[in-house]
Amino acid sequence: MADIQNITETVKAIIVKQLAVNADQVTPEARFIEDLNADSLDTVELVMEFEETFDLRISDDVVENMLTVGAAIDYIAKKLDEKAAAENKEA
Amino acid sequence: MKEERRIVVTGMGVVSPVGSTVESAWDNLLAGRSGIRRIGKFAEREYRCQIGGEVSGLDMDKYVSPKDQQRLDPFCHYALAAAQQAMDSAGLQPGTDIPPERIGALVSSGIGGLQTCTLQSQRLENLGQRMVSPLTVPQIIANMAAGHIAIRFHLQGPNFGLVSACATGLHAIGEAAWIIRRGDADAMLAGGAENSVIALAQAAFGAMRALTGSHNDDPEHASRPFDATRDGFVPGSGAGVLLLEELTHARRRGATILAEVSGYGATCDAHHITAPIEDGSGAARAIQVALNHAGLSPEAIGYVNAHGTSTPLNDLVETRALKLALGEHAYHTAISSTKSMTGHMLGAAGGFESVVCILALRNGVAPGTMNLATPDPNCDLDYLPNAARELPDLRHALKLNMGFGGHNAAVVFSRFED
């Protein structure tokens, strides 16, 4: 299983840096656009940062539904689990 | 006939290698202090030119939000800082003192976000197209300085960038004044901003042999306009922005009037991509047009802030241009190049150097041309060598800039009199 706490901390740190917001604003319920003042360009940049940091590919239709911090964390955790499972199979 | 609208300067701001407040930059220029330093990253890689004028003394947090510090190319940071200073010094509140649609901005860059362009090109090459930032385009485009200024101050009047390489800032001021004159706005922020001291520019201007390569160990003496040994310019970064205002508008709100924009001329050499036409006739015509608009004879000009880049050709051609336009008076007017201290701020030069002209008019003193040790027999005018000079009777100052592409701009600033 993915280390949720570690993922959460990394995702939060990326959001704090990219959106220049305070860490205490970055709750699981926080919505990127309404609560964290992101625009559509910010959300694309954020996803790029997630992809680079976690070595993942996140497709555009997923991005459209990734509206909150919690949704991003859940999705990244799920993708990392899938990736680990695939790697185990190969091994 | 409708009476002509007069344009005055009521605010100004600078970001530069010699300081990023009007007061500090002025003090340093009068004292002859250079902002040119050795740049470690260029020295390590053995660039032809290893020196430059990086922005000095800029309190970024005062002018740009933490988020915008990441999201904007540095040339827009410099533009916002200079614009904020200009608005603060003018005490003009859009929405209160002026309807938003009656104030605009024409603050431009000679090149735009070249640093962003370089960085994102590297990402494209190394990481692939998926990793190119969605902010790339808005960071690169040269009109974004004006765009960001509009957003920040809520200015809904005429707003765009214009580009004429090293004449950009001065063309912007001249054109913005004419926008007010024709009645499309009552106030305009105008000038230029440039992030010049970056690797690609340093390499590219170096490849042209446009930069000096002889003073890497003696940066403060590298930029030596009109000196016989001059051998290229030194890049400098920064911004210079004026708040221009229609006279009756400025009066009505009791603004302090710093100077008047009394004439503007724009011409082209139509000659060569980078070399100015050798007889100086293109720049001379720009000066003549500006004097005509101002209704002044050449003898009225008491100070010229020269383009004075410190390249062999520019300083020679500019000297010829001044002789052509001013005649015998070219020998009697005070002339100086503050690029001897700031380096060449490219698209920002006209903005910053216009501030110098206005300060010279207000204070009755002009900065000197530093590092002028060996006179050039072909550059035989009075360039205020190595020291500032008191000019107590100064009433009209001429600002001239020339850009790659053969673009020439001239603006006459005058001490304000009724």
Side-chain angles (χ1 to χ4, degrees):
Chain A
M1 280 293 283
D3 181 347
I4 290 286
Q5 196 176 340
N6 199 8
I7 293 169
T8 302
E9 275 168 26
T10 308
V11 166
K12 276 178 101 169
I14 290 171
I15 294 169
V16 165
K17 180 175 172 292
Q18 292 281 121
L19 301 181
V21 289
N22 291 325
D24 55 10
Q25 291 174 264
V26 189
T27 59
E29 301 76 33
R31 295 164 298 175
F32 290 112
I33 292 175
E34 293 86 345
D35 301 322
L36 300 177
N37 202 26
D39 62 21
S40 62
L41 301 178
D42 285 321
T43 57
V44 179
E45 279 242 301
L46 265 183
V47 168
M48 274 175 52
E49 201 59 40
F50 295 153
E51 288 184 321
E52 246 187 309
T53 306
F54 295 105
D55 192 20
L56 290 174
R57 253 184 109 128
I58 305 176
S59 65
D60 285 354
D61 51 322
V62 171
V63 174
E64 278 169 33
N65 294 309
M66 201 189 274
L67 303 177
T68 63
V69 173
I73 294 168
D74 290 348
Y75 181 80
I76 290 165
K78 191 180 102 194
K79 288 288 275 190
L80 289 175
D81 278 341
E82 285 171 14
K83 201 172 139 194
E87 276 162 13
N88 279 339
K89 224 179 208 173
E90 275 170 34
Chain B
M1 204 178 119
K2 207 171 75 177
E3 198 178 325
E4 198 151 81
R5 285 157 63 91
R6 292 172 72 181
I7 318 306
V8 293
V9 181
T10 55
M12 48 194 187
V14 298
V15 171
S16 85
V18 293
S20 296
T21 62
V22 168
E23 295 74 18
S24 62
W26 184 238
D27 285 349
N28 283 325
L29 291 177
L30 288 184
R33 280 191 283 267
S34 171
I36 308 302
R37 304 283 181 267
R38 189 171 171 82
I39 311 289
K41 63 189 174 196
F42 298 151
E44 276 165 29
R45 296 192 169 193
E46 297 181 351
Y47 277 47
R48 179 183 154 78
C49 176
Q50 302 169 2
I51 59 178
E54 291 183 311
V55 162
S56 152
L58 175 62
D59 181 359
M60 190 77 92
D61 291 335
K62 193 172 161 185
Y63 303 110
V64 186
S65 71
K67 190 171 171 183
D68 279 349
Q69 288 184 30
Q70 302 179 70
R71 274 170 61 112
L72 276 54
D73 189 272
F75 88 91
C76 286
H77 296 151
Y78 304 156
L80 279 170
Q84 177 82 59
Q85 293 171 34
M87 291 297 269
D88 289 349
S89 63
L92 184 70
Q93 296 281 347
T96 308
D97 300 319
I98 187 168
E101 62 270 21
R102 295 296 298 167
I103 173 168
L106 217 177
V107 177
S108 204
S109 168
I111 300 177
L114 199 55
Q115 180 171 300
T116 297
C117 194
T118 309
L119 181 71
Q120 295 301 328
S121 296
Q122 286 166 350
R123 287 180 67 88
L124 175 62
E125 195 66 28
N126 298 331
L127 303 170
Q129 56 95 18
R130 285 178 58 82
M131 288 296 154
V132 172
S133 168
L135 293 166
T136 304
V137 173
Q139 284 179 341
I140 289 176
I141 50 183
N143 54 298
M144 266 334 239
H148 282 296
I149 287 169
I151 294 166
R152 163 69 59 82
F153 301 107
H154 195 58
L155 316 182
Q156 296 180 315
N159 185 298
F160 52 97
L162 64 73
V163 176
S164 57
C166 305
T168 294
L170 197 59
H171 275 121
I173 288 167
E175 292 297 329
W178 263 222
I179 285 170
I180 298 173
R181 179 160 289 178
R182 71 176 185 244
D184 290 350
D186 295 318
M188 292 287 292
L189 282 165
E194 201 82 55
N195 181 31
S196 314
V197 189
I198 59 169
L200 183 58
Q202 200 86 4
F205 283 118
M208 297 174 70
R209 304 293 186 266
L211 305 184
T212 175
S214 62
H215 280 59
N216 288 333
D217 297 321
D218 185 17
E220 299 195 354
H221 297 102
S223 180
R224 41 198 201 288
F226 306 108
D227 186 276
T229 69
R230 69 188 182 275
D231 60 358
F233 76 84
V234 179
S237 294
V241 173
L242 304 182
L243 183 73
L244 306 181
E245 203 169 343
E246 193 271 325
L247 174 60
T248 60
H249 190 277
R251 276 229 174 96
R252 243 191 335 268
R253 65 180 193 91
T256 301
I257 294 170
L258 303 174
E260 179 167 7
V261 180
S262 48
Y264 164 53
T267 64
C268 188
D269 289 353
H271 170 67
H272 182 265
I273 52 170
T274 56
I277 193 161
E278 287 191 13
D279 62 4
S281 56
R285 279 189 299 112
I287 296 170
Q288 284 158 349
V289 173
L291 286 173
N292 257 347
H293 274 300
L296 294 173
S297 66
E299 291 71 32
I301 299 299
Y303 172 61
V304 180
N305 185 287
H307 191 50
T309 59
S310 182
T311 66
L313 194 55
N314 176 85
D315 298 357
L316 172 64
V317 168
E318 189 174 12
T319 296
R320 289 176 179 158
L322 289 169
K323 290 176 185 175
L324 269 179
L326 304 181
E328 180 63 25
H329 183 66
Y331 291 91
H332 304 299
T333 186
I335 302 164
S336 71
S337 170
T338 39
K339 287 189 180 78
S340 56
M341 294 168 271
T342 61
H344 190 350
M345 292 156 71
L346 308 181
F352 179 85
E353 291 157 6
S354 290
V355 172
V356 174
C357 286
I358 293 158
L359 290 166
L361 286 164
R362 291 197 49 84
N363 295 291
V365 57
T369 302
M370 304 313 288
N371 309 322
L372 184 34
T374 314
D376 176 349
N378 295 311
C379 295
D380 54 352
L381 303 177
D382 182 2
Y383 307 104
L384 311 189
N386 304 311
R389 189 181 299 170
E390 303 277 339
L391 300 169
D393 302 324
L394 180 62
R395 290 180 59 210
H396 305 283
L398 172 69
K399 178 67 218 127
L400 177 65
N401 286 117
M402 300 144 78
F404 285 171
H407 314 294
N408 306 298
V411 170
V412 178
F413 294 97
S414 301
R415 189 193 289 179
F416 177 69
E417 284 164 15
D418 277 315

